[in-house]
């Protein structure tokens, strides 16, 4: 086992691995240098931006109205302790004086991403004062029932979807400017007038998505009911996240992240098949890379495309290459792949600068965010060794397809040496598992990434996964993102029955707990898990959770029978 030297590095290592290394990670050192240096993509940047813009999809609009009135019921058996119970018809609300019904909740019956509008009408006399309402929207019941304040969350309070609206003029349509994401809504009258009377006349959502349901890929007739339900929820999740980019979550963070893009593009292959959207996102990232050519982990579209400067997440940079490779396989669009090859090559070159003389990825070399999952305490040493090897091999495959083997000749040897080093430094032969970091941590993700890297034989890989899953102290993934790579590794090493069981149990568990769309964070043993210290702040329609649709179609013999 590798020796860990400086105390300072250890502390840094802990914070980074624990996921406490904030998303606005301070890799300013890197960024400043990158900003000052000459732009390595200067000759292509503008055309990449144009190509991204030209591929911007049109959003389809659908008008949806609430189905019925509901109320929150505290229930220890319900997910996060709350469920919504039907308690009346919309007709008992519309047209009735709001002074008699100052607060109601409604259910739209499905997850919606879009713009909310309403219309208040005069019942008697003349409007003599403005009205004030609060609308609270939620993807899951807890957002409708758990008080937001005092706010314990570690991201902005403004992500919570409670909107105060002052109505200066009744008898006309009013639309809340903010895009909303949710299934439930609470309306509260905060300020009325003693002089005139008024009622809600209509409420509706204009839902938006660039996904086209008419092109949906279907499942075989024999597909078991639960697999079908999981697939439907996965497709719905992706549908909601497919906007003018692949968003990570329509409630939060409303933006394009590289790691999410990779998984969304895989799910897209087996659902909406909108490959232009994938191409747009690849070009967006390329056009917004740092001057030194390294990608930035996430980008925003408005008011004009820009990255979250300073957010350097190397694990995500590497997934650009896998996304490009898969895109090329899906489309045969060699022109785009050739165009963006230089970006892919640069991400690997950057990763290789972290290797030490033993071919071990040394994250203490300089500040870097290595995201694998939000599970607190996850050690990234073994996983990043695997992720780097995997990226090397994927990029070599891409180079071969593009006739550019000459540019990557020495990478085959580096990958082989890294695998050998992984076995030497991280593989505990006696136990049959990879261990990671100073405490010899056994994590599921330590196994899965090194299995993806091909560092174990099939038999060894099966043993590593089974041993890790059986261990009491094993660090489990805390999100469907991490869990995706577990299913992936199980399928790679032939654990078909276990992969099916795990998927049915994990994603099926969310379905049974009432998921309309899959959640950002999920731990079957802890319904309140939150990377942000407040479960209502989690995103409950999160792109990285939609990959069952990819597994179900890629391995029909495992899942569709
Ligand atoms: C999550 C974001 C996004 C992910 C980053 C690392 O919380 O919502 O999906 O890519 O963190």
């Amino acid at each position: 086992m590798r020796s860990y030297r400086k105390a300072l590095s250890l502390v840094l290592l802990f914070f980074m691995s624990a996921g406490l290394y904030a998303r606005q990670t301070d890799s300013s050192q890197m960024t400043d240098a990158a900003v000052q240096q000459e732009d390595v993509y200067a000759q292509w940047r503008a055309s990449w931006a144009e190509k991204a813009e030209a591929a911007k999809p049109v959003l389809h609009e659908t008008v949806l109205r609430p189905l019925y009135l509901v109320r929150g019921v505290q229930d220890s058996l319900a997910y996060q302790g709350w469920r919504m119970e039907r308690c009346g018809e919309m007709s008992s609300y519309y047209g009735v004086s709001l002074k008699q019904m100052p607060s109601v909740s409604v259910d739209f019956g499905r997850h919606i991403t879009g713009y909310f509008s309403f219309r208040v009408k005069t019942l008697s006399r003349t409007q003599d004062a403005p009205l004030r309402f609060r609308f609270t929207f939620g993807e899951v019941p807890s957002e409708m029932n758990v008080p937001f304040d005092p706010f314990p969350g570690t991201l902005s309070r403004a992500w919570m979807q409670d909107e105060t609206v002052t109505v200066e003029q009744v008898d006309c349509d009013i639309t809340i400017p903010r895009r909303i994401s949710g299934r439930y809504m609470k309306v509260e009258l905060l300020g009325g007038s003693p002089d005139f009377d008024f009622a809600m006349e209509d409420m509706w959502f204009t839902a938006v998505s660039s996904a086209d349901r008419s092109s949906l890929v279907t499942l075989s007739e024999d597909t078991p009911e639960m697999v079908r339900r999981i697939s439907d929820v996965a497709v719905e999740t992706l549908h909601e996240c497919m906007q003018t980019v692949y968003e990570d979550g329509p409630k939060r963070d409303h933006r394009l992240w590289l790691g999410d893009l990779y998984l969304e593009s895989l799910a897209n292959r087996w659902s909406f098949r909108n490959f232009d959207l994938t191409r747009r996102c690849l070009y967006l990232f390329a056009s917004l890379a740092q001057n030194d050519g390294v990608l930035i982990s996430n980008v925003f579209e408005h008011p004009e495309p820009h990255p979250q400067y300073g957010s350097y997440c190397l694990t995500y940079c590497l997934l650009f290459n896998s996304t490009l490779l898969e895109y090329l396989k899906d489309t045969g669009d060699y022109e785009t792949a050739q165009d963006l090859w230089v970006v892919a090559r640069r991400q690997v070159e950057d990763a290789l600068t972290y290797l030490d003389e033993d071919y071990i990825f040394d994250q203490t070399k300089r500040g870097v965010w290595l995201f694998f999952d939000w599970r607190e305490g996850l050690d990234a040493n073994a996983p990043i060794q695997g992720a780097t090897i995997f990226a090397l091999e994927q990029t070599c495959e891409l180079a071969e397809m593009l006739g550019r083997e000459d540019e990557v000749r020495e990478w085959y040897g580096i990958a082989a040496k890294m695998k050998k080093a992984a076995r030497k430094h991280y593989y505990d032969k006696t136990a049959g598992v990879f261990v990671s970091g100073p405490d010899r941590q056994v994590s599921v993700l330590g196994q899965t990434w090194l299995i993806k890297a091909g560092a174990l034989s099939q038999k060894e890989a099966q043993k590593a996964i089974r041993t890790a899953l059986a261990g009491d102290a094993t660090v489990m993934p805390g999100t469907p993102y991490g869990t995706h790579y577990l299913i992936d590794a199980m399928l790679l090493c032939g654990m078909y029955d276990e992969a099916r069981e795990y998927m049915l149990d994990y994603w099926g568990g969310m379905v049974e707990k009432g998921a309309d769309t899959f959640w950002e964070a999920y731990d079957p043993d802890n319904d309140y898990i939150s990377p942000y210290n407040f479960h209502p702040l989690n995103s409950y329609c999160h792109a990285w959770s939609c990959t069952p649709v990819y597994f179900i179609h890629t391995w029909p013999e495992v899942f569709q029978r």
Side-chain angles (χ1 to χ4, degrees):
M1 171 54 46
R2 200 171 157 64
S3 66
Y4 286 81
R5 301 160 289 243
K6 295 165 240 152
L8 189 69
S9 336
L10 276 179
V11 173
L12 184 66
L13 201 67
F14 170 76
F15 278 103
M16 291 189 297
S17 311
L20 300 172
Y21 199 53
R23 293 188 294 172
Q24 288 76 6
T25 174
D26 181 22
S27 27
S28 45
Q29 244 187 337
M30 170 92 184
T31 310
D32 289 349
V35 167
Q36 281 156 18
Q37 91 157 67
E38 218 182 302
D39 182 5
V40 298
Y41 299 146
Q43 55 183 312
W44 304 296
R45 218 178 260 276
S47 87
W48 290 344
E50 274 163 29
K51 287 174 184 170
E53 188 57 31
K56 193 182 215 163
V58 175
L59 293 178
H60 311 290
E61 295 188 351
T62 318
V63 172
L64 297 161
R65 292 191 157 77
L67 302 184
Y68 36 76
L69 301 179
V70 287
R71 64 162 168 256
V73 179
Q74 208 154 9
D75 177 351
S76 60
L77 295 177
Y79 177 60
Q80 300 178 332
W82 288 96
R83 64 185 162 80
M84 303 304 280
E85 183 180 85
R86 184 169 177 165
C87 65
E89 302 311 309
M90 291 313 299
S91 55
S92 65
Y93 179 59
Y94 290 139
V96 175
S97 166
L98 281 168
K99 293 179 187 179
Q100 281 152 44
M101 293 185 88
S103 172
V104 297
S105 294
V106 300
D107 184 351
F108 283 85
R110 52 161 278 194
H111 189 279
I112 298 172
T113 301
Y115 298 90
F116 176 73
S117 306
F118 65 102
R119 187 179 172 98
V120 177
K121 72 171 178 185
T122 308
L123 286 181
S124 63
R125 299 173 65 92
T126 308
Q127 180 179 16
D128 68 322
L131 304 177
R132 182 163 292 163
F133 293 91
R134 180 166 49 225
F135 295 91
T136 306
F137 303 87
E139 296 180 314
V140 291
S142 67
E143 291 166 273
M144 308 306 298
N145 295 293
V146 175
F148 297 163
D149 300 300
F151 187 65
T154 53
L155 302 178
S156 168
R157 164 68 175 82
W159 282 119
M160 305 314 296
Q161 301 184 105
D162 51 336
E163 299 293 309
T164 302
V165 180
T166 301
V167 176
E168 288 183 285
Q169 188 62 62
V170 295
D171 297 304
C172 58
D173 297 352
I174 294 168
T175 299
I176 296 179
R178 174 185 189 177
R179 202 194 66 194
I180 303 290
S181 179
R183 167 175 170 173
Y184 305 104
M185 179 184 77
K186 179 157 60 187
V187 194
E188 294 164 280
L189 177 66
L190 302 182
S193 157
D195 203 62
F196 84 114
D197 205 3
F198 45 90
M200 192 63 78
E201 189 178 6
D202 198 5
M203 304 192 287
W204 66 98
F205 258 105
T206 306
V208 289
S209 166
S210 60
D212 178 0
R213 289 187 199 272
S214 66
S215 47
L216 263 182
V217 181
T218 51
L219 291 170
S220 102
E221 298 265 299
D222 306 333
T223 308
E225 180 54 20
M226 188 41 121
V227 174
R228 199 173 280 283
R229 284 171 72 193
I230 292 172
S231 172
D232 287 348
V233 175
V235 167
E236 210 46 41
T237 307
L238 183 60
H239 178 273
E240 297 297 277
C241 295
M242 282 172 79
Q243 300 293 330
T244 43
V245 292
Y246 286 106
E247 291 185 14
D248 61 334
K251 176 183 119 179
R252 210 214 77 243
D253 304 327
H254 286 203
R255 76 186 82 147
L256 172 61
W257 284 85
L258 265 166
D260 302 67
L261 165 65
Y262 174 49
L263 298 192
E264 289 176 279
S265 71
L266 293 177
N268 171 64
R269 169 190 296 161
W270 293 110
S271 53
F272 300 107
R273 300 185 65 75
N274 183 353
F275 299 111
D276 277 357
L277 187 64
T278 310
R279 182 161 47 92
R280 164 170 166 76
C281 295
L282 287 165
Y283 273 119
L284 262 181
F285 275 117
S287 68
L288 298 170
Q290 297 181 159
N291 279 357
D292 65 356
V294 173
L295 291 164
I296 299 180
S297 70
N298 69 97
V299 304
F300 304 86
E301 293 178 274
H302 305 293
E304 56 193 34
H306 62 283
Q308 187 185 25
Y309 291 104
S311 184
Y312 166 50
C313 176
L314 191 139
T315 45
Y316 274 19
C317 292
L318 294 175
L319 289 175
F320 177 90
N321 300 13
S322 296
T323 313
L324 185 57
L325 173 65
E326 299 294 344
Y327 169 79
L328 177 59
K329 288 182 184 170
D330 279 328
T331 60
D333 176 1
Y334 281 86
E335 197 183 314
T336 296
Q338 290 288 6
D339 216 11
L340 296 177
W341 162 253
V342 61
V343 181
R345 194 186 58 204
R346 180 71 186 94
Q347 306 319 301
V348 171
E349 286 166 0
D350 177 52
L352 295 182
T353 63
Y354 289 88
L355 297 194
D356 70 9
E357 59 290 354
D358 294 331
Y359 288 88
I360 287 288
F361 189 106
D362 178 1
Q363 58 177 297
T364 64
K365 282 205 170 180
R366 58 175 200 275
V368 61
W369 179 26
L370 301 175
F371 180 78
F372 288 100
D373 189 85
W374 281 120
R375 175 69 75 186
E376 232 177 287
L378 174 67
D379 187 276
N381 284 291
I384 188 58
Q385 185 78 7
T388 308
I389 301 167
F390 177 67
L392 272 165
E393 294 191 332
Q394 292 258 290
T395 314
C396 287
E397 188 181 341
L398 181 61
E400 286 160 25
M401 287 180 75
L402 299 178
R404 291 175 176 273
E405 298 91 324
D406 283 351
E407 295 176 49
V408 300
R409 267 298 163 236
E410 65 189 72
W411 291 0
Y412 297 91
I414 297 178
K417 283 183 185 138
M418 286 189 76
K419 281 185 208 179
K420 227 171 141 195
R423 291 186 71 98
K424 183 166 165 215
H425 292 287
Y426 298 131
Y427 191 49
D428 178 336
K429 273 211 189 80
T430 323
V433 276
F434 286 110
V435 294
S436 183
D439 298 329
R440 299 173 62 79
Q441 179 186 88
V442 177
S443 68
V444 162
L445 291 166
Q447 318 309 314
T448 63
W449 277 100
L450 279 160
I451 290 168
K452 270 177 90 62
L456 293 182
S457 71
Q458 169 140 341
K459 220 170 134 206
E460 289 170 329
Q462 295 193 357
K463 169 139 203 238
I465 293 181
R466 290 193 185 115
T467 307
L469 288 177
D472 287 341
T474 298
V475 176
M476 297 294 294
T479 66
Y481 179 75
T483 308
H484 164 92
Y485 292 104
L486 168 60
I487 306 288
D488 193 21
M490 283 176 159
L491 292 165
L492 268 176
C493 66
M495 295 171 69
Y496 302 123
D497 290 343
E498 280 133 302
R500 186 180 55 240
E501 286 317 305
Y502 208 97
M503 193 185 83
L504 284 171
D505 197 55
Y506 188 81
W507 275 272
M510 284 189 257
V511 169
E512 292 201 319
K513 288 177 187 182
D516 306 294
T517 47
F518 287 125
W519 307 329
E520 174 183 21
Y522 180 57
D523 176 346
D525 300 323
N526 175 13
D527 283 352
Y528 302 90
I529 189 173
S530 171
Y532 322 108
N533 199 45
F534 188 46
H535 60 278
L537 178 57
N538 293 4
S539 157
Y540 291 92
C541 174
H542 215 67
W544 69 21
S545 312
C546 73
T547 59
V549 65
Y550 160 74
F551 292 125
I552 291 167
H553 286 275
T554 310
W555 284 272
E557 64 289 358
V558 176
F559 297 103
Q560 294 188 40
R561 57 159 181 89

